[in-house]
Amino acid sequence: MLSKQRGTILIIGPAMSGRTTAMYAVAEYAASLLGENYDVTSIEEKVERELPFATQIQLNPSGGLTMPVAFEAVMQHRPKVLLLSDMTDPKVARRAVWAGMEGQIIITCMNAMTTQYAIISLCQTPIERYAVASSLMGVINMRLVGGAECDEYVLSDGDETAEAIEAEEPNRYPLAEVFLMTESLERTISREQGYDVIASEIGESIHITFAKAAERLLSRRLISPDDIDAALR
């Protein structure tokens, strides 16, 4: 997912699904891949864990430190890796996507249940379609699945392995569906094909499905099929 060393990675899922933990894990992997000569900065609604390799900024809207204000200040320094707790502000979203297209690595969270919804939502914003297609590297769709107690879960996309994603709650396992952008889908989005065409192609291009991701946990009898069904409802 980080082979190009530039672009946007979306971490999606419902509330309390492990999105922030996954964002930290991807950032840690990016930092280890790039080395100490590259800056890593985060802008977060709430800093949930200190990252020794990053400069972390916690928002304070009542004091005037909103996401647009913090983003504008940080972009003056153009860190190689930028973590955003969200891209709900349209101007921030557009500039972040363009920053990913122009050489930075943007890792951000979105409250979305499916990869199709997340990508199509970006396409429905004022962001140029070709920018979305060129910038987006991939989507990680997170869930927490009930089961026996665990400490960590390794997220692998087949070509690279991120650092372990620690469980946020006792007896809960992170489960990740992974989508990697393809050249074919880039063309489909850039040519402004219909959303039904885009959604269908996304579904055919999921790199690791929830079912595939769950095989390791099921084989160790740490979770049951009912746990998966409950998490994906």
Side-chain angles (χ1 to χ4, degrees):
M1 190 177 290
L2 291 169
S3 59
K4 293 182 180 179
Q5 296 192 11
R6 64 102 182 140
T8 304
I9 298 174
L10 295 180
I11 315 291
I12 70 171
M16 303 300 294
S17 62
R19 290 178 309 198
T20 302
T21 303
M23 181 175 70
Y24 288 161
V26 175
E28 188 171 359
Y29 178 74
S32 67
L33 182 69
L34 295 169
E36 298 179 356
N37 295 327
Y38 292 93
D39 294 331
V40 180
T41 301
S42 75
I43 306 174
E44 305 175 61
E45 183 177 350
K46 180 181 179 181
V47 173
E48 297 186 11
R49 176 161 62 90
E50 290 187 8
L51 304 177
F53 55 85
T55 299
Q56 292 174 276
I57 300 170
Q58 180 166 301
L59 298 177
N60 180 17
S62 63
L65 188 59
T66 61
M67 177 62 78
V69 170
F71 183 82
E72 185 68 30
V74 166
M75 287 299 289
Q76 294 180 19
H77 303 282
R78 291 189 61 81
K80 177 61 177 179
V81 182
L82 177 58
L83 283 66
L84 301 173
S85 59
D86 66 69
M87 291 198 310
T88 53
D89 182 271
K91 292 182 179 179
V92 169
R94 185 176 187 276
R95 287 199 61 192
V97 167
W98 271 86
M101 187 172 65
E102 294 172 350
Q104 292 173 262
I105 295 174
I106 309 297
I107 307 169
T108 185
C109 294
M110 177 186 289
N111 190 355
M113 297 295 287
T114 68
T115 297
Q116 288 90 334
Y117 179 86
I119 295 176
I120 289 172
S121 292
L122 278 181
C123 293
Q124 291 174 330
T125 68
I127 305 171
E128 295 84 351
R129 283 253 200 128
Y130 68 85
V132 173
S134 177
S135 180
L136 187 62
M137 287 191 287
V139 180
I140 301 174
N141 192 355
M142 296 298 302
R143 296 292 189 278
L144 286 180
V145 183
E149 184 174 356
C150 73
D151 295 320
E152 59 184 27
Y153 174 69
V154 175
L155 170 67
S156 172
D157 68 14
D159 300 315
E160 61 198 24
T161 302
E163 294 297 320
I165 299 178
E166 296 180 357
E168 290 185 326
E169 302 177 25
N171 306 325
R172 303 277 276 176
Y173 283 84
L175 192 66
E177 177 187 80
V178 179
F179 164 83
L180 303 180
M181 177 60 79
T182 65
E183 292 182 1
S184 174
L185 184 58
E186 280 190 43
R187 291 192 295 270
T188 299
I189 294 174
S190 297
R191 293 170 181 171
E192 303 201 5
Q193 296 288 331
Y195 295 135
D196 56 338
V197 176
I198 294 173
S200 176
E201 191 164 341
I202 292 170
E204 295 171 356
S205 304
I206 298 294
H207 191 65
I208 298 178
T209 64
F210 280 123
K212 181 67 175 177
E215 285 181 1
R216 173 177 172 270
L217 300 178
L218 288 168
S219 66
R220 295 171 60 189
R221 298 185 179 180
L222 297 173
I223 61 173
S224 70
D226 288 342
D227 293 325
I228 298 174
D229 291 341
L232 298 181
R233 286 189 190 126

PDB file of all heavy atoms in Angstrom, residues 61-82:
ATOM      1  N   PRO A  61     -11.034  23.382  19.612  1.00  0.00           N
ATOM      2  CA  PRO A  61     -11.945  24.297  18.912  1.00  0.00           C
ATOM      3  C   PRO A  61     -12.363  25.503  19.741  1.00  0.00           C
ATOM      4  O   PRO A  61     -12.494  26.612  19.200  1.00  0.00           O
ATOM      5  CB  PRO A  61     -13.149  23.404  18.592  1.00  0.00           C
ATOM      6  CG  PRO A  61     -12.578  22.019  18.550  1.00  0.00           C
ATOM      7  CD  PRO A  61     -11.516  22.002  19.607  1.00  0.00           C
ATOM      8  N   SER A  62     -12.587  25.313  21.040  1.00  0.00           N
ATOM      9  CA  SER A  62     -12.999  26.439  21.884  1.00  0.00           C
ATOM     10  C   SER A  62     -11.903  27.489  21.983  1.00  0.00           C
ATOM     11  O   SER A  62     -12.178  28.663  22.232  1.00  0.00           O
ATOM     12  CB  SER A  62     -13.372  25.937  23.281  1.00  0.00           C
ATOM     13  OG  SER A  62     -12.248  25.344  23.926  1.00  0.00           O
ATOM     14  N   GLY A  63     -10.663  27.069  21.789  1.00  0.00           N
ATOM     15  CA  GLY A  63      -9.543  28.010  21.816  1.00  0.00           C
ATOM     16  C   GLY A  63      -9.128  28.490  20.446  1.00  0.00           C
ATOM     17  O   GLY A  63      -8.123  29.192  20.301  1.00  0.00           O
ATOM     18  N   GLY A  64      -9.886  28.082  19.420  1.00  0.00           N
ATOM     19  CA  GLY A  64      -9.612  28.529  18.068  1.00  0.00           C
ATOM     20  C   GLY A  64      -8.761  27.582  17.242  1.00  0.00           C
ATOM     21  O   GLY A  64      -8.530  27.839  16.048  1.00  0.00           O
ATOM     22  N   LEU A  65      -8.287  26.495  17.848  1.00  0.00           N
ATOM     23  CA  LEU A  65      -7.464  25.547  17.102  1.00  0.00           C
ATOM     24  C   LEU A  65      -8.367  24.482  16.485  1.00  0.00           C
ATOM     25  O   LEU A  65      -8.544  23.391  17.021  1.00  0.00           O
ATOM     26  CB  LEU A  65      -6.410  24.908  18.005  1.00  0.00           C
ATOM     27  CG  LEU A  65      -5.356  24.027  17.302  1.00  0.00           C
ATOM     28  CD1 LEU A  65      -4.595  24.826  16.258  1.00  0.00           C
ATOM     29  CD2 LEU A  65      -4.405  23.410  18.304  1.00  0.00           C
ATOM     30  N   THR A  66      -8.939  24.812  15.351  1.00  0.00           N
ATOM     31  CA  THR A  66      -9.811  23.895  14.623  1.00  0.00           C
ATOM     32  C   THR A  66      -8.981  23.105  13.602  1.00  0.00           C
ATOM     33  O   THR A  66      -7.811  23.399  13.370  1.00  0.00           O
ATOM     34  CB  THR A  66     -10.902  24.672  13.886  1.00  0.00           C
ATOM     35  OG1 THR A  66     -10.272  25.567  12.945  1.00  0.00           O
ATOM     36  CG2 THR A  66     -11.751  25.485  14.860  1.00  0.00           C
ATOM     37  N   MET A  67      -9.604  22.127  12.978  1.00  0.00           N
ATOM     38  CA  MET A  67      -8.893  21.336  11.970  1.00  0.00           C
ATOM     39  C   MET A  67      -8.383  22.212  10.820  1.00  0.00           C
ATOM     40  O   MET A  67      -7.216  22.097  10.428  1.00  0.00           O
ATOM     41  CB  MET A  67      -9.783  20.208  11.454  1.00  0.00           C
ATOM     42  CG  MET A  67      -9.154  19.363  10.349  1.00  0.00           C
ATOM     43  SD  MET A  67      -7.644  18.483  10.831  1.00  0.00           S
ATOM     44  CE  MET A  67      -8.363  17.116  11.765  1.00  0.00           C
ATOM     45  N   PRO A  68      -9.214  23.122  10.252  1.00  0.00           N
ATOM     46  CA  PRO A  68      -8.691  23.959   9.164  1.00  0.00           C
ATOM     47  C   PRO A  68      -7.511  24.831   9.598  1.00  0.00           C
ATOM     48  O   PRO A  68      -6.546  24.994   8.839  1.00  0.00           O
ATOM     49  CB  PRO A  68      -9.903  24.821   8.782  1.00  0.00           C
ATOM     50  CG  PRO A  68     -11.082  23.996   9.164  1.00  0.00           C
ATOM     51  CD  PRO A  68     -10.668  23.290  10.425  1.00  0.00           C
ATOM     52  N   VAL A  69      -7.575  25.380  10.806  1.00  0.00           N
ATOM     53  CA  VAL A  69      -6.489  26.235  11.288  1.00  0.00           C
ATOM     54  C   VAL A  69      -5.208  25.425  11.476  1.00  0.00           C
ATOM     55  O   VAL A  69      -4.119  25.821  11.031  1.00  0.00           O
ATOM     56  CB  VAL A  69      -6.880  26.929  12.616  1.00  0.00           C
ATOM     57  CG1 VAL A  69      -5.672  27.625  13.246  1.00  0.00           C
ATOM     58  CG2 VAL A  69      -8.001  27.928  12.383  1.00  0.00           C
ATOM     59  N   ALA A  70      -5.330  24.289  12.145  1.00  0.00           N
ATOM     60  CA  ALA A  70      -4.154  23.441  12.382  1.00  0.00           C
ATOM     61  C   ALA A  70      -3.592  22.910  11.070  1.00  0.00           C
ATOM     62  O   ALA A  70      -2.372  22.864  10.878  1.00  0.00           O
ATOM     63  CB  ALA A  70      -4.530  22.286  13.308  1.00  0.00           C
ATOM     64  N   PHE A  71      -4.473  22.516  10.157  1.00  0.00           N
ATOM     65  CA  PHE A  71      -4.033  21.978   8.874  1.00  0.00           C
ATOM     66  C   PHE A  71      -3.254  23.022   8.089  1.00  0.00           C
ATOM     67  O   PHE A  71      -2.201  22.725   7.509  1.00  0.00           O
ATOM     68  CB  PHE A  71      -5.244  21.501   8.073  1.00  0.00           C
ATOM     69  CG  PHE A  71      -4.907  20.871   6.764  1.00  0.00           C
ATOM     70  CD1 PHE A  71      -4.523  19.541   6.695  1.00  0.00           C
ATOM     71  CD2 PHE A  71      -4.968  21.596   5.584  1.00  0.00           C
ATOM     72  CE1 PHE A  71      -4.211  18.941   5.476  1.00  0.00           C
ATOM     73  CE2 PHE A  71      -4.658  21.010   4.366  1.00  0.00           C
ATOM     74  CZ  PHE A  71      -4.274  19.689   4.320  1.00  0.00           C
ATOM     75  N   GLU A  72      -3.749  24.247   8.070  1.00  0.00           N
ATOM     76  CA  GLU A  72      -3.073  25.324   7.346  1.00  0.00           C
ATOM     77  C   GLU A  72      -1.676  25.562   7.902  1.00  0.00           C
ATOM     78  O   GLU A  72      -0.709  25.729   7.142  1.00  0.00           O
ATOM     79  CB  GLU A  72      -3.901  26.613   7.441  1.00  0.00           C
ATOM     80  CG  GLU A  72      -3.365  27.768   6.623  1.00  0.00           C
ATOM     81  CD  GLU A  72      -3.479  27.536   5.127  1.00  0.00           C
ATOM     82  OE1 GLU A  72      -4.409  26.836   4.701  1.00  0.00           O
ATOM     83  OE2 GLU A  72      -2.618  28.066   4.391  1.00  0.00           O
ATOM     84  N   ALA A  73      -1.553  25.537   9.225  1.00  0.00           N
ATOM     85  CA  ALA A  73      -0.249  25.765   9.853  1.00  0.00           C
ATOM     86  C   ALA A  73       0.725  24.622   9.557  1.00  0.00           C
ATOM     87  O   ALA A  73       1.893  24.845   9.230  1.00  0.00           O
ATOM     88  CB  ALA A  73      -0.420  25.931  11.360  1.00  0.00           C
ATOM     89  N   VAL A  74       0.235  23.401   9.655  1.00  0.00           N
ATOM     90  CA  VAL A  74       1.096  22.235   9.431  1.00  0.00           C
ATOM     91  C   VAL A  74       1.542  22.152   7.980  1.00  0.00           C
ATOM     92  O   VAL A  74       2.709  21.817   7.693  1.00  0.00           O
ATOM     93  CB  VAL A  74       0.352  20.938   9.841  1.00  0.00           C
ATOM     94  CG1 VAL A  74       1.080  19.703   9.316  1.00  0.00           C
ATOM     95  CG2 VAL A  74       0.227  20.868  11.354  1.00  0.00           C
ATOM     96  N   MET A  75       0.663  22.493   7.047  1.00  0.00           N
ATOM     97  CA  MET A  75       1.001  22.370   5.637  1.00  0.00           C
ATOM     98  C   MET A  75       2.082  23.345   5.198  1.00  0.00           C
ATOM     99  O   MET A  75       2.704  23.162   4.143  1.00  0.00           O
ATOM    100  CB  MET A  75      -0.254  22.546   4.778  1.00  0.00           C
ATOM    101  CG  MET A  75      -1.193  21.356   4.831  1.00  0.00           C
ATOM    102  SD  MET A  75      -0.422  19.822   4.237  1.00  0.00           S
ATOM    103  CE  MET A  75      -0.319  20.160   2.483  1.00  0.00           C
ATOM    104  N   GLN A  76       2.337  24.355   5.980  1.00  0.00           N
ATOM    105  CA  GLN A  76       3.441  25.265   5.675  1.00  0.00           C
ATOM    106  C   GLN A  76       4.787  24.554   5.794  1.00  0.00           C
ATOM    107  O   GLN A  76       5.771  24.957   5.174  1.00  0.00           O
ATOM    108  CB  GLN A  76       3.397  26.481   6.602  1.00  0.00           C
ATOM    109  CG  GLN A  76       2.191  27.374   6.383  1.00  0.00           C
ATOM    110  CD  GLN A  76       2.175  28.561   7.323  1.00  0.00           C
ATOM    111  OE1 GLN A  76       3.194  28.936   7.896  1.00  0.00           O
ATOM    112  NE2 GLN A  76       1.005  29.183   7.479  1.00  0.00           N
ATOM    113  N   HIS A  77       4.813  23.480   6.594  1.00  0.00           N
ATOM    114  CA  HIS A  77       6.050  22.710   6.791  1.00  0.00           C
ATOM    115  C   HIS A  77       6.078  21.434   5.951  1.00  0.00           C
ATOM    116  O   HIS A  77       7.104  20.776   5.888  1.00  0.00           O
ATOM    117  CB  HIS A  77       6.199  22.355   8.274  1.00  0.00           C
ATOM    118  CG  HIS A  77       6.191  23.545   9.186  1.00  0.00           C
ATOM    119  ND1 HIS A  77       7.283  24.357   9.347  1.00  0.00           N
ATOM    120  CD2 HIS A  77       5.205  24.073   9.962  1.00  0.00           C
ATOM    121  CE1 HIS A  77       6.994  25.337  10.201  1.00  0.00           C
ATOM    122  NE2 HIS A  77       5.728  25.186  10.579  1.00  0.00           N
ATOM    123  N   ARG A  78       4.969  21.071   5.339  1.00  0.00           N
ATOM    124  CA  ARG A  78       4.845  19.921   4.448  1.00  0.00           C
ATOM    125  C   ARG A  78       5.513  18.658   5.007  1.00  0.00           C
ATOM    126  O   ARG A  78       6.504  18.160   4.440  1.00  0.00           O
ATOM    127  CB  ARG A  78       5.425  20.252   3.068  1.00  0.00           C
ATOM    128  CG  ARG A  78       4.613  21.271   2.292  1.00  0.00           C
ATOM    129  CD  ARG A  78       5.102  21.402   0.869  1.00  0.00           C
ATOM    130  NE  ARG A  78       4.991  20.159   0.125  1.00  0.00           N
ATOM    131  CZ  ARG A  78       3.870  19.731  -0.441  1.00  0.00           C
ATOM    132  NH1 ARG A  78       2.749  20.449  -0.340  1.00  0.00           N
ATOM    133  NH2 ARG A  78       3.848  18.598  -1.115  1.00  0.00           N
ATOM    134  N   PRO A  79       5.008  18.122   6.117  1.00  0.00           N
ATOM    135  CA  PRO A  79       5.559  16.858   6.611  1.00  0.00           C
ATOM    136  C   PRO A  79       5.329  15.744   5.597  1.00  0.00           C
ATOM    137  O   PRO A  79       4.320  15.746   4.881  1.00  0.00           O
ATOM    138  CB  PRO A  79       4.766  16.607   7.897  1.00  0.00           C
ATOM    139  CG  PRO A  79       3.474  17.339   7.699  1.00  0.00           C
ATOM    140  CD  PRO A  79       3.839  18.566   6.906  1.00  0.00           C
ATOM    141  N   LYS A  80       6.250  14.800   5.538  1.00  0.00           N
ATOM    142  CA  LYS A  80       6.114  13.704   4.579  1.00  0.00           C
ATOM    143  C   LYS A  80       4.886  12.861   4.885  1.00  0.00           C
ATOM    144  O   LYS A  80       4.156  12.448   3.977  1.00  0.00           O
ATOM    145  CB  LYS A  80       7.368  12.823   4.615  1.00  0.00           C
ATOM    146  CG  LYS A  80       7.304  11.608   3.689  1.00  0.00           C
ATOM    147  CD  LYS A  80       7.154  12.007   2.224  1.00  0.00           C
ATOM    148  CE  LYS A  80       7.166  10.779   1.330  1.00  0.00           C
ATOM    149  NZ  LYS A  80       6.991  11.128  -0.103  1.00  0.00           N
ATOM    150  N   VAL A  81       4.643  12.605   6.183  1.00  0.00           N
ATOM    151  CA  VAL A  81       3.489  11.807   6.601  1.00  0.00           C
ATOM    152  C   VAL A  81       2.599  12.675   7.483  1.00  0.00           C
ATOM    153  O   VAL A  81       3.063  13.252   8.467  1.00  0.00           O
ATOM    154  CB  VAL A  81       3.912  10.541   7.372  1.00  0.00           C
ATOM    155  CG1 VAL A  81       2.691   9.714   7.757  1.00  0.00           C
ATOM    156  CG2 VAL A  81       4.893   9.707   6.551  1.00  0.00           C
ATOM    157  N   LEU A  82       1.329  12.752   7.127  1.00  0.00           N
ATOM    158  CA  LEU A  82       0.377  13.555   7.900  1.00  0.00           C
ATOM    159  C   LEU A  82      -0.827  12.712   8.261  1.00  0.00           C
ATOM    160  O   LEU A  82      -1.487  12.141   7.387  1.00  0.00           O
ATOM    161  CB  LEU A  82      -0.073  14.774   7.096  1.00  0.00           C
ATOM    162  CG  LEU A  82      -1.122  15.687   7.751  1.00  0.00           C
ATOM    163  CD1 LEU A  82      -0.626  16.221   9.091  1.00  0.00           C
ATOM    164  CD2 LEU A  82      -1.484  16.839   6.821  1.00  0.00           C
TER     165      LEU A  82
END
